[in-house]
Amino acid sequence: MADDRKTYTGGRFTFELDDRKSAGFVNSIDGGAFKADVVQYQQGGDGYVSRYAGRAKYDDITVTVGAAMSPAFWKWVESSLARKPQRRNGALVGYDFDFKERSRRSFFGALIAEIGFPGCDATAKNASTLSIKITPEEIKYQKGDGHALTDSQAQDQVTKQKRWLSSNFKFSLDRFPDPNAMRAVKVDGFTVKQNVMDNAVGNETHARKEAGRLELPPIVVTFPEYQMKDWMDWWDKSVGLGDRKDQYTTGVLTYLASDTRSELMHIEFAGVSLASVELDKSEAHKEGIATAKATLNIEGLTLVTGAGTV
């Protein structure tokens, strides 16, 4: 029998939800440290201070994933964005390059604390990933049981993850009905944050987690300077003249598969208003397209996953 105590290089990682049901491969895992507050106790006058570990604490875990995650995973994300946070149990499982399970970090009572959406740029060719930060009530580490993924399972997941590129997207604002108005824009990445608070109860070994306010980020859009007039018309009416009727619009950001036709998912923005418009730095003899930038405030955000995410 081979000695499984030898060192190994982690090759693949899967994200499991609810009783070892795989939700898909993850690109990276960060955090999840095991900690405790130090409690100090002094008795008598000899100056001796004893120290011991207090209540167990666990760092947040951040994972990056592609679009090829299970429906159960996306429902968890959707519920958090819909202000209906759910506590979930699961595990992060590490495999070696032979796809044999070598480690397992199980988490319990986890809430999603942050959801980071990738930026979109038609000139970029890098793969897109979504970052998810989870705040668990408890984490347990276990040695892997040696279970192996089949070659077909592994290859299927790797192939699906390659479908999401930052250059494949569509962005639209109802304010600009011309279908070509947003064709050349670039959308910066943005992060939605869910405040999670500790609720220490009695002598329980770890603190419970409670969800607080959902914080929606601004959306930053870069566009060619020749489109500046349309954006300034919006600014002049909604901000300069304070016309409330002309202040708000809605928008949609759609992430597409590598064929640029299949929808992976889209995000619907509600209550979109203009916070700022700025011209990028001007330099004589500078090569490249002159651009400007707009910052948009949003009041609502809804994630709708498509068939391409399963």
Side-chain angles (χ1 to χ4, degrees):
M1 180 177 178
D3 184 0
D4 61 1
R5 292 175 297 177
K6 63 183 180 181
T7 59
Y8 68 96
T9 301
R12 297 286 186 268
F13 306 91
T14 60
F15 192 105
E16 293 183 354
L17 280 176
D18 304 327
D19 195 22
R20 299 204 173 200
K21 294 180 181 177
S22 176
F25 277 12
V26 302
N27 294 9
S28 67
I29 305 170
D30 188 28
F34 301 82
K35 296 182 177 180
D37 289 328
V38 177
V39 179
Q40 300 186 101
Y41 178 72
Q42 181 175 348
Q43 186 175 10
D46 59 0
Y48 177 77
V49 178
S50 62
R51 294 178 175 83
Y52 58 90
R55 194 187 301 270
K57 298 170 62 178
Y58 307 94
D59 279 355
D60 293 346
I61 301 173
T62 301
V63 298
T64 57
V65 302
M69 302 298 286
S70 72
F73 175 87
W74 291 114
K75 286 180 181 178
W76 190 23
V77 175
E78 288 174 4
S79 66
S80 294
L81 292 173
R83 293 180 170 85
K84 299 177 182 179
Q86 300 175 352
R87 292 180 179 83
R88 301 293 290 271
N89 301 331
L92 296 163
V93 186
Y95 295 84
D96 59 24
F97 276 97
D98 293 324
F99 294 106
K100 292 183 179 180
E101 182 182 318
R102 300 300 298 268
S103 68
R104 175 177 290 271
R105 275 187 284 177
S106 300
F107 57 84
F108 304 90
L111 291 167
I112 293 179
E114 292 185 8
I115 305 167
F117 292 94
C120 298
D121 183 355
T123 63
K125 301 300 178 185
N126 56 296
S128 289
T129 57
L130 188 84
S131 67
I132 300 289
K133 179 186 286 188
I134 63 174
T135 301
E137 292 184 346
E138 185 179 8
I139 304 174
K140 291 183 178 180
Y141 178 88
Q142 296 170 285
K143 178 183 176 181
D145 60 10
H147 172 78
L149 293 176
T150 65
D151 289 341
S152 60
Q153 286 177 312
Q155 187 57 44
D156 181 56
Q157 288 293 335
V158 171
T159 300
K160 286 180 178 179
Q161 297 288 12
K162 293 180 179 179
R163 302 178 65 191
W164 196 8
L165 298 177
S166 58
S167 57
N168 298 334
F169 73 99
K170 292 189 299 184
F171 180 72
S172 64
L173 291 173
D174 289 344
R175 167 83 194 182
F176 304 107
D178 184 349
N180 295 317
M182 298 288 111
R183 187 177 296 276
V185 301
K186 171 185 173 183
V187 183
D188 287 1
F190 55 92
T191 300
V192 180
K193 296 183 179 181
Q194 170 74 71
N195 290 319
V196 179
M197 300 166 287
D198 286 343
N199 180 18
V201 179
N203 293 322
E204 292 183 357
T205 57
H206 52 268
R208 300 180 185 180
K209 302 295 182 180
E210 304 292 342
R213 184 187 299 274
L214 189 72
E215 298 180 4
L216 299 180
I219 308 300
V220 178
V221 179
T222 301
F223 55 91
E225 189 180 328
Y226 70 79
Q227 295 178 347
M228 189 70 177
K229 182 181 183 304
D230 293 335
W231 289 89
M232 286 308 302
D233 285 346
W234 186 13
W235 170 268
D236 290 339
K237 292 179 181 178
S238 64
V239 182
L241 298 178
D243 187 350
R244 295 291 180 180
K245 295 184 295 182
D246 205 57
Q247 185 171 10
Y248 295 103
T249 188
T250 57
V252 178
L253 174 61
T254 303
Y255 296 104
L256 302 172
S258 55
D259 61 9
T260 68
R261 295 187 301 273
S262 304
E263 178 181 321
L264 296 173
M265 68 188 83
H266 72 262
I267 302 170
E268 299 173 357
F269 301 112
V272 181
S273 60
L274 195 55
S276 68
V277 182
E278 56 186 295
L279 291 166
D280 286 347
K281 181 180 180 180
S282 300
E283 296 179 78
H285 311 297
K286 177 182 177 181
E287 295 184 2
I289 298 173
T291 58
K293 184 181 299 182
T295 300
L296 306 173
N297 291 323
I298 60 172
E299 295 181 350
L301 181 152
T302 302
L303 176 66
V304 179
T305 56
T309 58
V310 296

